[in-house]
Amino acid sequence: MSIDSRSTDDLIRPNHADQALVTNESTLSNALENNQFALFYQPQIDLPTGEVVGFEGLLRWRHPEYGVKLPDSFIATAEQTGQIAQLTHLVIDTGFKFIEKLNPELSFSLNISSQCIRDNHLVDTLDSCCNAFHIDPHRVVLEFTEKAALENPVHAEDILGQLKTNGFRLGIDDSGTGYTDMPDLGKMHFSELKIDKSLVTTMETSSKSRKSIISTIALADSLGIATIAEGIENNLEAIGLRELGCQFGQGYYFARPMDEADTLRWLENWNKSSSFMI
Ligand code: C2E
Ligand code: MG
Ligand code: MG
């Protein structure tokens, strides 16, 4: 199989040669220059109805020698070198171009590193890409980690306020991992909260995880914030979360992250099949 035919995470296998992968400023520059970064998409599902509501964009590095590399192997370096700004721009550009072709009801979520909160160009880049691709900012969900938003609260408050004023939706990515002060999040304009996959994976076996999910959903409800569970791998988890009142879900049970062509095929099949039961 050639590297380029690997189009979903199903086909991405750990590779022993990975140990030789060097990730530094120069290899990342080279990868950027040679268009080796690709955006994969994972669908988000309305748990009560089974309808697709949007996609999260997840970066992949199509390395000519080592195959498709996951963000764990390059995001931290890109954050240290400052190249995360270029990568985020690429995600915005690629993702907006992609959703322009889809039903305007569908949203697009993207991950924003804490460094980007300090990037004065972020708001302008988002605004100008919305204009260029005719995207209503309300379709765009900017996912921040709890830590990122709370690390530098005064600056975060300012930039998140601007983004919210300009129509973007703001989400917290790794909720339940220890930082959330929910009333603060409500004040900071968040409209969506992601339940971390570490809680979803253990919800059937750990009463602590289950309780944490229940209290997160209750608090989010009281603040008018939507909840989306990530890392759903089976229908027990999907049904359990729906019964606990979690509105949206994302995970391998529905689909792995896919390249653009596979995403379009997946979407067509999903919309056609009326038999899928959550
Ligand atoms: P995240 O934003 O929390 O993304 C969810 C991660 O869970 C993704 O890993 C996704 O592939 C994985 N996942 C989805 N469903 C399942 C499931 O059912 N089971 C399991 N075990 N995993 C599932 P991925 O793509 O490796 O991304 C890891 C992290 O890298 C992301 O976590 C995000 O923090 C970061 N990342 C990805 N793309 C970007 C980007 O464009 N910019 C920035 N700043 N960070 C990114
Ligand atoms: Mg995310
Ligand atoms: Mg997450």
Side-chain angles (χ1 to χ4, degrees):
M1 181 196 303
S2 76
I3 288 164
D4 282 344
S5 67
R6 295 173 177 213
S7 57
T8 83
D9 277 0
D10 281 328
L11 304 169
I12 301 169
R13 299 276 178 258
N15 179 341
H16 293 304
D18 276 7
Q19 281 146 11
L21 174 74
V22 178
T23 308
N24 58 33
E25 187 165 5
S26 142
T27 56
L28 290 184
S29 283
N30 185 55
L32 277 160
E33 271 163 35
N34 291 296
N35 299 319
Q36 288 169 5
F37 289 103
L39 199 57
F40 276 30
Y41 302 92
Q42 188 178 37
Q44 300 176 326
I45 306 295
D46 180 77
L47 293 176
T49 64
E51 274 175 37
V52 188
V53 291
F55 291 91
E56 177 174 8
L58 295 158
L59 266 174
R60 299 291 180 261
W61 179 2
R62 292 180 188 275
H63 196 287
E65 242 177 288
Y66 301 119
V68 181
K69 307 307 305 164
L70 298 172
D72 275 1
S73 61
F74 58 87
I75 290 286
T77 307
E79 289 175 341
Q80 280 154 21
T81 61
Q83 287 160 307
I84 193 68
Q86 245 178 302
L87 281 175
T88 304
H89 195 143
L90 185 128
V91 170
I92 295 168
D93 205 60
T94 315
F96 284 17
K97 230 178 263 174
F98 176 62
I99 61 156
E100 190 189 9
K101 300 179 211 159
L102 306 182
N103 175 342
E105 303 271 299
L106 295 175
S107 63
F108 173 62
S109 302
L110 67 151
N111 296 286
I112 306 285
S113 290
S114 57
Q115 277 78 354
C116 298
I117 296 190
R118 293 190 286 269
D119 172 4
N120 295 327
H121 302 296
L122 179 68
V123 181
D124 287 347
T125 303
L126 283 160
D127 285 343
S128 60
C129 286
C130 276
N131 285 334
F133 301 115
H134 314 104
I135 302 295
D136 177 350
H138 198 66
R139 291 179 74 186
V140 179
V141 182
L142 305 168
E143 293 187 1
F144 297 88
T145 59
E146 296 173 337
K147 198 167 163 245
L150 299 174
E151 227 169 41
N152 190 347
V154 176
H155 191 66
E157 173 79 44
D158 180 42
I159 194 137
L160 299 182
Q162 275 184 58
L163 291 166
K164 174 90 185 206
T165 304
N166 294 6
F168 296 99
R169 276 147 66 190
L170 309 178
I172 282 287
D173 201 339
D174 50 3
S175 186
T177 55
Y179 293 91
T180 313
D181 176 342
M182 292 287 287
D184 263 9
L185 297 183
K187 266 191 267 154
M188 287 170 93
H189 321 287
F190 288 96
S191 59
E192 178 183 307
L193 205 149
K194 265 195 166 170
I195 298 173
D196 195 62
K197 62 174 177 282
S198 60
L199 294 175
V200 172
T201 311
T202 52
M203 66 178 278
E204 296 298 327
T205 52
S206 152
S207 60
K208 195 166 165 237
S209 297
R210 203 176 164 79
K211 278 187 197 147
S212 177
I213 293 176
I214 292 170
S215 61
T216 301
I217 295 172
L219 271 165
D221 280 353
S222 71
L223 293 164
I225 296 176
T227 42
I228 169 159
E230 67 175 20
I232 299 177
E233 294 192 355
N234 56 55
N235 74 333
L236 270 184
E237 289 163 358
I239 292 167
L241 285 156
R242 186 186 61 195
E243 283 172 355
L244 293 178
C246 178
Q247 195 176 354
F248 304 107
Q250 178 179 345
Y252 296 169
Y253 177 54
F254 305 112
R256 297 207 172 219
M258 302 164 279
D259 72 3
E260 181 172 325
D262 276 355
T263 303
L264 292 174
R265 271 191 289 272
W266 177 92
L267 185 59
E268 208 187 322
N269 285 334
W270 186 271
N271 287 339
K272 265 196 282 189
S273 80
S274 51
S275 57
F276 188 87
M277 294 294 289
I278 289 177

